[in-house]
Amino acid sequence: MRQLARIVLTAGLAGAISAAFAQTADQPVTTFPYTPGLDVNAMDRSADPCVDFYQFACGGWMKNNPIPADQARWSVYGKLTQDNQRYLWGILDGLATKTEGRSVTQQKTGDYFAACMDEKAIEARGAAPLQAYFEQIDAMRSVRDLPAVLARLHLALADEGLFFSFGSSQDFGNSTQVIAFANGGGLGLPDRDSYLKTDAKSVEIRNKYVAHIGNTFILLGQSKAEAQRSAATVMRLETALAKATLSRVDKRDPYKLYHKMNARGLQALTPGFDWNAYLAALGESGLNTFNVTEPKFYRELGRQWAGRDLAIIKTYLRWHVTRASAPALSSNFDKEHFDFFSRTLRGVKEQKPRWKRCVTLVDAQLGEALGQEFVSRAFSPALKEKALHMTKQVEEAMQKDIDSLDWMSKATKERAQEKLKTIVNKIGYPDQWRDYSSYDVKRDDFIGNVERGNLFEARRQLAKIGKPLDRKEWGMTPPTVNAYYNPQMNDINFPAGVLQPPLYDDKMDDAPNYGNTGGTIGHELTHAFDDEGRQFDAQGNLKDWWTKKDAKAFTERAQCIVDQYAKYVVVDDIKINSKLTLGEDVADLGGLILGWMAWQTQMASMPQQAAGPRDGLTPEQRFFVGNAQWACENDRPENLRVSAMTDPHSPGKYRVNGLVVNMPQFEKAFACKPGQPMVAPKRCRVW
Ligand SMILES: [Zn+2]
C-alpha cells in the first residue's frame, strides 16, 4: 500500500455547524485543478540535494502548504484526495438536486448525499438513533443473551470495537476458498500499545481517553460520579483485552494469524459464549470452518465474559455503540467525539466541513456507484492504456532484476518468475460494478442509510463464505488516491484516483512520471516479494517456495533495511519501529529501482525525450525529483506519535532520503561525494 488506508467508516464523519460556516469559500468543482507532475515551486533550490534531498525536492511544498485546520497531516496524496473529493462533491451535488432522469444507482448516491447533508434533521434526532441498540442491550438477562445481541450490533454498526470482529476472507492455506474469520478488536484507542506504554505522554492520553468516555456517559444522562465509574469499567476491560492482543509487528507474520479450526475448536476458546446463537443471529448457522486470527485474545474474551458481571458488559457495549455512532448523531456527541479522537489524539484543529464528510461516506458505502460517475468523467481509455503500458515495463524490469540477482539460486528464481508472471494487473476500476440493488437508500433517513449500508456490506462479505472466489473484486474504490498489492489474490491495483496529476501527468516528460507513478507500480509489485508477500506463492497460498539458503540471504538483506530505518526519528525521542515498516521500506526501495529500470527501457525507445535539461534539471535529476515529490508532506506532532505506533509506512522524509542514499544512480545524477549525507557508506539492496 502506498499510504495509510483509513477504512474505518466513522473516522471521516462528524461535523459542527460552525465548521461548515467557517468554510463558506468552499465550492464544488466540475474540472480538476491542475498541478504539474514535477513542480519547480515545490522545490527548495537553496538546499543541497546531497545533504538533504527531501528538503531540496519538497522544501517549497512544505513551506507553501501548511496543514489545513481540518487535517491531521497534509501531503501531496492528501491534497489530491481533497481535489478528488471536491470534484465528487460537484457530481453528488448535481445528483442530489436534479432528481428527475436519474438511474437507480444515481438515485441512491444522490439521495444518500442529500440525507447526509441535512444537518437540521440529524440535529433534531439527537441521540434517538441509539435507543433501539440500548433497548437490546438493556434487555439482556444474562451473559447467555450476549451472542445474539452482539451479532445484531456487528451487522448494524460494522465496528471492530464491539469485543471482536467477524467476517470472511481467503483461506491462507488455500486461496481459492473463502472462509469465516474471527478477528481481534474490542479496543477504543488506536493500538494495544496505547494501553501498555508507560511514558508520560501515553499516560496523559489514557487519562484524557477515560475523561472522554466519562463525558460521553454524561451526555447519555449519567451523573458525573456514575459516568466516572462507567469510564473506569470500560478502561479496565479494554486494558485486559489489549494485553491479550498481538503487537502490530506480530500481525505482519501471517503464520501468527493463521489458526484454522472447526466449530468445536472455536467453542472451546470461549466456553461461556454460545457461538451457535451468535451465528444464527448473524444468519450464518452451520458454519464449521473458521480462522481465528488471535486465539489468545479469544481465550481472554472468554475469561472476561465468564468472570464479569453483566452490568460491566452492558456498560462496555453502551460505550462502544455510542462511540461508533457519535459522528452520525447530533453535534453534542459529534463534538465530544471529535475533541478526543481528532483534536487530542491527532492534533486536528477543526472539524471537517459537512460536504467532505458526506463525500467520504458515499465513497465508503456506495463507492462503486460513485466510482462509475467518477470514471466516466475523469479516466479515459487512453490513460488506462498508458498506465498498463508502464505497468508492463515495470514488470519486465522486475523480470530482469530477478534474473540478475547474485544471491538467489536458480530454483528460487524460477518460482519467483512464476509468481511475477501470475500477478494480475488491475488498472483504474473494476470490470464489473457492484450491484447495490438490495441496499435501500432513503432521502430522509441519514442514520438509517448508514445502518443499512453497514448491513449490506456485512451480508456481502458473509455471503462469500463457501462460494467460488471472485477474482475480479477490488478492495479500493475508483476515486481512491492509493494503490495496493493483495498477496492472496496476487494482484496489483491502481484506482483511477491515483493516476491523476501531479502523480501521473500526461503533459509532463517521462522522467518524473516514471519516477513517480513508475515508482508506485514498482512499490506494489515489490510487495509481492517483501518480507510478508514473499511467503505467499503464485497461487496466493501461504507456502514456502524458497530454499533455506535463499531465505537466509533475503533476511540478511532485509535486516540491512531494518537497521537503516531504526536510526530515523519520527518525533521527539520516538524512532521508527522499523520491523513494522519493513515491508513498506523494502517496497519503496524496490519501487524506485524498478521505476528507474523501466524508465531506461522507455528512453531507449524515445531518445529525444531524454535530450537536455529542463527547469535546470537533467533527465536523471528530474526522475529523482519526480519520485520524491509524491511524498512531500507536513505532519502534526500528535499525529506523528500515533503514526509511529500504527502506520506501517515511514514518514515522507525517509521515504525519500532513505532510498536515495542506497542508489548509486542518485549519487551520479547529482554528483554527490562519498561521505555526504545522501551517500550511504554501506548501501542496502533487497530487490
Ligand atoms: Zn505499500
Side-chain angles (χ1 to χ4, degrees):
M1 211 171 274
R2 199 61 160 156
Q3 65 166 358
L4 181 64
R6 295 189 194 277
I7 45 171
V8 181
L9 172 67
T10 48
L13 241 179
I17 297 162
S18 62
F21 280 117
Q23 307 244 354
T24 43
D26 263 359
Q27 291 296 328
V29 299
T30 47
T31 50
F32 270 103
Y34 172 70
T35 313
L38 191 155
D39 186 358
V40 288
N41 297 319
M43 297 171 66
D44 171 8
R45 301 228 195 202
S46 72
D48 182 342
C50 299
V51 172
D52 182 350
F53 185 56
Y54 181 70
Q55 179 64 32
F56 176 78
C58 289
W61 193 95
M62 289 189 284
K63 198 167 146 244
N64 299 329
N65 293 278
I67 307 171
D70 68 344
Q71 303 285 334
R73 63 194 287 260
W74 201 225
S75 63
V76 169
Y77 266 46
K79 207 171 170 215
L80 179 56
T81 299
Q82 185 171 278
D83 287 344
N84 281 355
Q85 286 182 325
R86 206 179 292 275
Y87 186 74
L88 293 169
W89 180 19
I91 296 172
L92 287 167
D93 202 40
L95 292 174
T97 345
K98 241 184 98 190
T99 52
E100 69 274 13
R102 296 183 300 181
S103 70
V104 176
T105 45
Q106 286 174 333
Q107 172 265 313
K108 287 186 203 288
T109 47
D111 287 354
Y112 187 109
F113 188 71
C116 182
M117 290 298 285
D118 189 353
E119 281 184 296
K120 252 196 200 153
I122 295 162
E123 197 62 30
R125 290 198 68 190
L130 295 174
Q131 275 323 305
Y133 304 134
F134 285 178
E135 277 163 21
Q136 293 180 51
I137 294 168
D138 292 342
M140 287 197 294
R141 290 286 159 260
S142 79
V143 179
R144 281 213 306 277
D145 297 328
L146 175 65
V149 170
L150 200 50
R152 286 195 292 271
L153 294 175
H154 280 168
L155 288 173
L157 293 162
D159 190 276
E160 61 177 35
L162 292 149
F163 284 122
F164 63 89
S165 80
F166 191 89
S168 71
S169 195
Q170 284 167 270
D171 184 345
F172 287 159
N174 179 358
S175 68
T176 62
Q177 300 296 311
V178 179
I179 59 171
F181 267 56
N183 303 301
L187 308 179
L189 286 170
D191 191 75
R192 66 137 208 190
D193 287 354
S194 311
Y195 296 85
L196 309 180
K197 284 168 73 176
T198 52
D199 62 285
K201 196 80 197 165
S202 302
V203 172
E204 183 196 326
I205 296 278
R206 279 201 291 278
N207 289 338
K208 287 183 174 169
Y209 177 55
V210 172
H212 163 62
I213 301 172
N215 291 342
T216 305
F217 276 107
I218 290 172
L219 287 177
L220 291 172
Q222 289 193 352
S223 71
K224 199 166 176 213
E226 274 179 305
Q228 276 172 351
R229 277 197 298 277
S230 298
T233 296
V234 169
M235 194 58 179
R236 266 197 302 276
L237 182 42
E238 288 185 9
T239 305
L241 298 181
K243 283 182 183 158
T245 299
L246 284 178
S247 75
R248 279 184 201 254
V249 171
D250 281 339
K251 282 185 194 170
R252 296 198 63 247
D253 178 352
Y255 287 98
K256 289 194 175 146
L257 297 175
Y258 190 38
H259 310 280
K260 212 167 145 178
M261 54 185 79
N262 60 20
R264 277 176 63 185
L266 175 61
Q267 190 57 65
L269 290 174
T270 58
F273 184 86
D274 181 358
W275 281 94
N276 286 331
Y278 176 82
L279 294 170
L282 216 54
E284 295 293 327
S285 292
L287 289 183
N288 197 27
T289 306
F290 305 88
N291 179 35
V292 179
T293 57
E294 300 186 60
K296 187 183 161 202
F297 174 83
Y298 277 86
R299 272 191 288 271
E300 181 59 34
L301 269 184
R303 269 193 291 276
Q304 293 296 328
W305 287 330
R308 298 273 180 184
D309 179 340
L310 185 63
I312 291 174
I313 291 172
K314 287 182 175 180
T315 299
Y316 171 90
L317 289 178
R318 276 193 209 101
W319 153 243
H320 279 288
V321 163
T322 313
R323 179 193 50 73
S325 309
L329 301 175
S330 52
S331 56
N332 49 347
F333 284 92
D334 181 38
K335 195 178 160 299
E336 180 57 42
H337 182 90
F338 171 84
D339 273 346
F340 179 74
F341 284 103
S342 295
R343 198 191 304 271
T344 300
L345 217 45
R346 309 259 180 192
V348 182
K349 307 277 181 244
E350 230 176 57
Q351 185 57 273
K352 283 189 172 61
R354 188 80 205 163
W355 69 264
K356 219 184 268 183
R357 301 163 67 197
C358 292
V359 169
T360 302
L361 268 180
V362 180
D363 185 55
Q365 299 208 284
L366 285 156
E368 291 196 9
L370 181 60
Q372 282 181 60
E373 304 292 327
F374 180 78
V375 163
S376 69
R377 291 164 174 87
F379 193 68
S380 68
L383 188 53
K384 182 166 175 158
E385 215 32 65
K386 275 186 191 163
L388 192 59
H389 174 70
M390 196 189 267
T391 306
K392 285 185 175 151
Q393 285 176 322
V394 176
E395 285 169 343
E396 276 163 29
M398 182 119 213
Q399 211 177 322
K400 277 188 225 155
D401 175 62
I402 292 169
D403 264 341
S404 72
L405 298 174
D406 58 8
W407 54 270
M408 191 184 259
S409 70
K410 198 166 161 268
T412 308
K413 277 183 184 176
E414 276 170 16
R415 297 285 182 83
Q417 295 288 12
E418 185 203 345
K419 178 166 184 178
L420 176 61
K421 270 197 215 110
T422 316
I423 290 174
V424 174
N425 302 323
K426 292 182 178 169
I427 313 250
Y429 53 91
D431 294 338
Q432 209 171 348
W433 295 107
R434 190 163 299 162
D435 175 8
Y436 290 103
S437 53
S438 65
Y439 177 14
D440 190 16
V441 176
K442 294 178 184 159
R443 201 178 170 90
D444 58 357
D445 183 14
F446 168 56
I447 196 133
N449 292 338
V450 173
E451 186 183 302
R452 283 185 295 274
N454 290 337
L455 188 64
F456 170 81
E457 180 58 15
R459 293 236 183 276
R460 196 180 73 78
Q461 294 295 348
L462 292 169
K464 294 178 189 174
I465 297 171
K467 305 264 167 48
L469 177 71
D470 175 10
R471 290 204 175 268
K472 297 198 155 147
E473 192 184 358
W474 279 62
M476 282 181 185
T477 67
T480 305
V481 184
N482 206 346
Y484 70 96
Y485 167 73
N486 179 337
Q488 292 178 280
M489 290 278 216
N490 199 26
D491 61 6
I492 46 177
N493 301 255
F494 305 96
V498 83
L499 297 166
Q500 311 281 346
L503 302 175
Y504 182 82
D505 182 359
D506 226 4
K507 297 190 183 70
M508 252 320 127
D509 47 316
D510 282 332
N513 278 327
Y514 277 79
N516 196 325
T517 294
T520 301
I521 297 168
H523 173 104
E524 300 310 338
L525 208 52
T526 306
H527 272 317
F529 303 94
D530 72 14
D531 60 316
E532 206 171 3
R534 77 172 188 89
Q535 302 187 65
F536 292 83
D537 69 9
Q539 281 69 48
N541 297 318
L542 186 58
K543 199 169 157 194
D544 192 2
W545 47 273
W546 294 63
T547 66
K548 272 215 167 66
K549 194 164 157 275
D550 293 335
K552 190 167 167 274
F554 175 92
T555 309
E556 281 165 14
R557 274 162 180 74
Q559 189 61 41
C560 181
I561 304 269
V562 172
D563 296 341
Q564 181 195 341
Y565 283 76
K567 297 193 184 89
Y568 297 144
V569 173
V570 181
V571 61
D572 302 333
D573 59 343
I574 302 176
K575 295 206 171 123
I576 292 180
N577 178 359
S578 60
K579 285 186 181 135
L580 176 63
T581 61
L582 175 59
E584 297 298 335
D585 298 334
V586 167
D588 281 342
L589 181 57
L592 185 58
I593 292 169
L594 296 176
W596 176 273
M597 289 170 73
W599 177 53
Q600 299 295 311
T601 312
Q602 175 71 2
M603 274 202 305
S605 68
M606 304 177 87
Q608 73 282 4
Q609 274 247 14
R614 291 185 195 195
D615 309 316
L617 297 166
T618 67
E620 287 77 13
Q621 291 173 338
R622 291 175 71 76
F623 173 88
F624 284 107
V625 173
N627 175 266
Q629 284 192 343
W630 86 264
C632 304
E633 68 181 27
N634 284 313
D635 218 321
R636 298 190 194 278
E638 295 89 342
N639 190 55
L640 282 169
R641 298 187 87 90
V642 178
S643 300
M645 261 191 300
T646 60
D647 191 347
H649 304 89
S650 295
K653 178 177 176 179
Y654 306 114
R655 299 189 74 177
V656 174
N657 289 353
L659 308 186
V660 297
V661 295
N662 289 321
M663 296 281 286
Q665 298 92 333
F666 175 83
E667 182 183 347
K668 194 168 165 227
F670 286 91
C672 301
K673 309 232 160 22
Q676 287 193 286
M678 293 297 104
V679 181
K682 177 193 156 210
R683 288 195 162 106
C684 296
R685 171 138 187 205
V686 182
W687 295 103

